[in-house]
Amino acid sequence: MNIEEIKKDFPILQNKEITYLDSGATTQKPIQVIKAIEEYYEKYNANPHRGAYSLSIEATEAYENTRKKIAKFINAKQPEEIIFSKNATESLNLTAYSYGIENLKKDDEIVISIMEHHSNLVPWQKVCKQTGAKLNYMYINNEFEITEEEIESKITDKTKIVSITHVSNVLGTINNIEKIIKYAHKRGAIVIVDASQSIPHIKIDVEKLRL
Ligand SMILES: Cc1ncc(COP(=O)(O)O)c(C=O)c1O
């Protein structure tokens, strides 16, 4: 499919006055997404999982079918592995304030990279302040990449959490998350991947990645 055919799916891009260059921050929505949201509010909107009436049951089915589709899309074993949140910022904060606060103690270490979006930086700074853990940064070389040496020198036996962006929204760098995950798991750390910029473009298989 060429770009002109893809563009036809986006009502806002039918306005010839607009050349939209800010998809890295907010993507425009195709007609299929706009219609699905409209249809939900017109036909199904009700409290999912909490009502015994037909509208609530239909809303529950719509939610759960979406969970199944997303599980299949990223090859998660169970739909229950999919947890909906408002956005990446909420997911990262939730993980930091639940798992992070609960499991970190003084002198433990968290590793992130220097290219993180603020939403994958500020929650970890706060967790460190509260727990006494230390925040370490993986730096980049002249090609804007995190080298194997950098990964191996920053992730140590003290590292309990590695939280890393898959693709940088600023640099476009695609991080070698396979290598980072493998190395972190060997050291006993858990890994959080911010896939905000990669999931629409790169096939993600959470089973293969062992996330
Ligand atoms: C790499 C990355 N992480 C996190 C975010 C924050 O995303 P959200 O608006 O879904 O909270 C963005 C937003 O552009 C991003 O590019």
Side-chain angles (χ1 to χ4, degrees), residues 12-140:
I12 207 166
L13 300 180
Q14 303 316 305
N15 178 350
K16 301 286 180 229
E17 304 281 294
I18 293 178
T19 302
Y20 188 74
L21 299 173
D22 203 17
S23 297
T26 291
T27 50
Q28 297 302 340
K29 307 298 178 275
I31 191 70
Q32 294 84 346
V33 169
I34 297 168
K35 283 246 170 79
I37 293 169
E38 193 179 87
E39 190 177 305
Y40 180 80
Y41 284 116
E42 279 180 3
K43 295 187 186 158
Y44 304 105
N45 187 40
N47 220 356
H49 286 293
R50 282 187 209 96
Y53 50 97
S54 59
L55 207 55
S56 168
I57 292 164
E58 282 170 47
T60 304
E61 271 170 18
Y63 266 69
E64 291 313 316
N65 284 337
T66 308
R67 211 188 299 277
K68 278 183 207 154
K69 276 188 188 166
I70 295 170
K72 199 166 163 217
F73 185 62
I74 61 168
N75 195 30
K77 263 193 185 151
Q78 314 280 346
E80 290 76 10
E81 290 174 37
I82 309 301
I83 298 166
F84 296 126
S85 65
K86 271 206 304 288
N87 52 28
T89 306
E90 186 179 59
S91 295
L92 289 160
N93 275 274
L94 200 60
T95 314
Y97 293 121
S98 54
Y99 187 89
I101 297 284
E102 190 66 28
N103 290 284
L104 290 170
K105 53 184 190 325
K106 195 172 176 314
D107 297 331
D108 284 341
E109 294 184 0
I110 302 169
V111 174
I112 63 170
S113 81
I114 203 69
M115 66 176 86
E116 297 309 317
H117 188 279
H118 252 197
S119 61
N120 196 26
L121 164 65
V122 179
W124 301 117
Q125 288 174 323
K126 294 206 165 185
V127 166
C128 286
K129 211 169 174 189
Q130 271 196 49
T131 60
K134 189 175 168 221
L135 189 57
N136 285 334
Y137 298 85
M138 292 189 282
Y139 288 87
I140 50 178

